[in-house]
Amino acid sequence: MSIPSIQSKSIAVIGLGYVGLPVAVAFAARGFDVLGFDIDRGRLAELNEGMDRTASVTSLELVQETLSFSADEEALCGRDVMIVAVPTPVDAAKRPDLTPFQKAAATAGRQIRPGAIVVFESTVFPGATEDVGVPILERESGLRLGVDFEVGYSPERINPGDTARDFSDITKIVSASSAQASETLASLYGAVVTAGIHKAPSIKVAEAAKVIENTQRDLNIALMNELAMLFHQMGIDTRDVIEGSQTKWNFLPFQPGLVGGHCIGVDPYYLTHKAHEIGFSPQVILAGRGTNEAMPAFVAGKIIQESVKLGLPMPPKVAVLGLTYKADVPDTRNSKVVDLIRELERFGAEVRVHDPLAIPHQVAEEYDLTLHDLEDISGAHAVILAVPHAQFLQGGNGWRTVAGVLKNGSGLVADLPAALERTAAPENITLWRL
């Protein structure tokens, strides 16, 4: 079979979220004919108007002549390369939910033409591309892998909110079902990724390489979280300990915190799912996940304890600053701040949350929570700086924002990311750090 050359410049990106949209924009900027496909027509309407709710790309990047958007599946027909970049979440039982992955594969399968390559970028367990994606592609297309078409896997590595490293600045791992397809993908991605290409020896290796990136981070943060729990019992500030330890060159300065989002808090479950499927018990990975899942309850308990010690009214009025899963992004998927709020409410606390980046209607639909303006959460007995958005810390004076929310400017401040300068804390405020 004939594999399309890079000069064909005919690419479709299926899924226009935090991953797919920057990929589509990057290829279009290099002169490739790019179709961005998504089933969310509201999302497409915004993109056609030059608006990206994820703040991943600029309005100018959305109006490139080589870039078009469609929700019409038939528009995918005839594309030489289809790149699938859809979410891979977990369900309520922490099991992989491959529904978006499977639906995207079916969509690609119905429109694939002989000679094309389908590339999956979604984070999955080793074997998912070949064991789940390929059968769907063959069933829907009536074509055969290795005879009529090829598949590839090139894991997404985009870090939302990172202004220093965009899609082109991160080394791209590529793999494919044949050596020829692998070379084609290396050339294709090499045209837009300046950081370099790493060719994995197999698709499963590439899948595994991606999923352990976030598993490793999850475990390192879990260790810091467990140490934070221990040090609080000892009356030691965890950040002071880390500051001392990192003076040695080989210490890795991971920080404690709430581990959520659609990557670090999810990907390890894909690996443990596959491990259980083949009869292996991944004790360390699951132990780390258990520690990180327990952090919202730990933090909520400590905040209530500190409130009691200070003699604050019970139950307290608590203001939460930040709801997204990380700083300076509008994404609230799998945010552990939501879990923290639920835990505080179990203690009877009256909780109000403010986040200037989160999308109100999405928060209401997904979590049944109302986002408030900053002035509407004032009069709190305790404030939790949950997410260190730049807007909260403007001018290096986050204390002004935090103190302005407290009743009479006094009370408890829980600084989870340790973003506030301790020495600048007002005298009538008690600071608690994770």
Side-chain angles (χ1 to χ4, degrees):
M1 60 175 283
S2 175
I3 302 298
S5 68
I6 190 175
Q7 285 75 25
S8 66
K9 299 182 180 179
S10 177
I11 299 171
V13 178
I14 300 175
L16 299 175
Y18 285 86
V19 174
L21 184 62
V23 170
V25 163
F27 276 111
R30 295 298 189 275
F32 288 87
D33 174 16
V34 181
L35 171 71
F37 175 85
D38 202 288
I39 59 175
D40 185 344
R41 294 182 181 274
R43 168 77 163 151
L44 295 181
E46 293 174 353
L47 295 178
N48 281 317
E49 293 176 2
M51 296 186 299
D52 170 28
R53 70 179 71 153
T54 69
S56 300
V57 302
T58 67
S59 58
L60 288 178
E61 290 174 312
L62 291 174
V63 295
Q64 301 178 75
E65 292 184 0
T66 52
L67 178 64
S68 60
F69 302 109
S70 179
D72 180 5
E73 182 180 304
E74 293 184 356
L76 297 168
C77 186
R79 293 281 159 170
D80 297 305
V81 179
M82 294 188 192
I83 299 174
V84 176
V86 295
T88 43
V90 293
D91 62 19
K94 307 301 183 184
R95 295 171 303 197
D97 179 4
L98 288 173
T99 303
F101 180 90
Q102 293 168 319
K103 288 183 176 180
T107 297
R110 287 190 292 270
Q111 302 302 328
I112 192 174
R113 74 173 190 179
I117 304 178
V118 178
V119 187
F120 293 92
E121 291 210 1
S122 307
T123 303
V124 291
F125 51 76
T129 298
E130 293 159 300
D131 299 340
V132 180
V134 168
I136 295 173
L137 291 170
E138 291 185 326
R139 182 192 71 217
E140 295 294 333
S141 67
L143 304 177
R144 289 179 296 168
L145 176 69
V147 176
D148 303 305
F149 71 95
E150 300 285 1
V151 296
Y153 182 77
S154 182
E156 62 89 2
R157 303 176 109 181
I158 291 173
N159 184 27
D162 187 343
T163 57
R165 290 177 291 269
D166 62 17
F167 172 68
S168 65
D169 300 319
I170 305 170
T171 300
K172 201 77 170 79
I173 298 174
V174 299
S175 61
S177 50
S178 72
Q180 187 178 5
S182 180
E183 289 296 332
T184 298
L185 292 182
S187 297
L188 182 75
Y189 280 109
V192 295
V193 176
T194 58
I197 302 297
H198 173 83
K199 288 187 287 186
S202 71
I203 288 176
K204 287 184 180 179
V205 166
E207 291 167 327
K210 167 56 185 180
V211 78
I212 72 164
E213 290 177 11
N214 286 331
T215 299
Q216 183 185 69
R217 287 186 59 79
D218 192 44
L219 286 169
N220 277 302
I221 298 171
L223 173 60
M224 293 299 107
N225 278 336
E226 186 168 275
L227 290 174
M229 295 179 188
L230 172 63
F231 293 148
H232 272 292
Q233 293 293 330
M234 297 179 175
I236 300 172
D237 187 287
T238 308
R239 312 289 177 155
D240 287 341
V241 176
I242 294 173
E243 184 178 353
S245 295
Q246 69 183 23
T247 58
K248 188 177 181 183
W249 74 92
N250 60 353
F251 180 81
L252 303 177
F254 284 88
Q255 305 293 321
L258 302 180
V259 185
H262 50 89
C263 291
I264 299 178
V266 171
D267 295 352
Y269 289 120
Y270 274 73
L271 190 56
T272 58
H273 166 81
K274 188 62 178 181
H276 286 140
E277 192 173 71
I278 63 175
F280 181 82
S281 180
Q283 298 180 37
V284 175
I285 299 173
L286 287 175
R289 275 283 74 227
T291 297
N292 287 338
E293 292 284 1
M295 285 307 290
F298 170 77
V299 172
K302 285 296 182 181
I303 290 172
I304 296 300
Q305 288 178 14
E306 292 297 320
S307 297
V308 171
K309 288 180 184 178
L310 292 174
L312 299 179
M314 288 290 121
K317 292 182 178 179
V318 181
V320 176
L321 295 175
L323 188 70
T324 61
Y325 84 93
K326 67 181 296 187
D328 301 323
V329 299
D331 196 348
T332 57
R333 285 178 293 173
N334 193 35
S335 170
K336 293 305 173 183
V337 181
V338 175
D339 294 358
L340 172 58
I341 292 170
R342 301 301 186 214
E343 292 292 338
L344 289 167
E345 290 175 337
R346 289 179 60 190
F347 284 106
E350 180 185 330
V351 184
R352 289 194 169 193
V353 59
H354 168 70
D355 192 307
L357 299 183
I359 301 172
H361 74 85
Q362 290 184 349
V363 172
E365 292 171 3
E366 186 170 357
Y367 300 117
D368 194 27
L369 287 173
T370 300
L371 292 177
H372 298 271
D373 293 334
L374 190 61
E375 56 268 22
D376 293 334
I377 65 172
S378 62
H381 305 120
V383 178
I384 302 172
L385 179 58
V387 185
H389 290 316
Q391 292 187 42
F392 295 151
L393 308 171
Q394 284 181 351
N397 192 4
W399 281 112
R400 183 179 302 131
T401 301
V402 170
V405 174
L406 286 169
K407 185 176 182 179
N408 300 321
S410 64
L412 173 67
V413 171
D415 180 12
L416 304 191
L420 300 170
E421 176 56 52
R422 273 186 301 178
T423 59
E427 293 183 2
N428 51 349
I429 289 178
T430 297
L431 175 63
W432 183 90
R433 308 203 305 175
L434 182 53

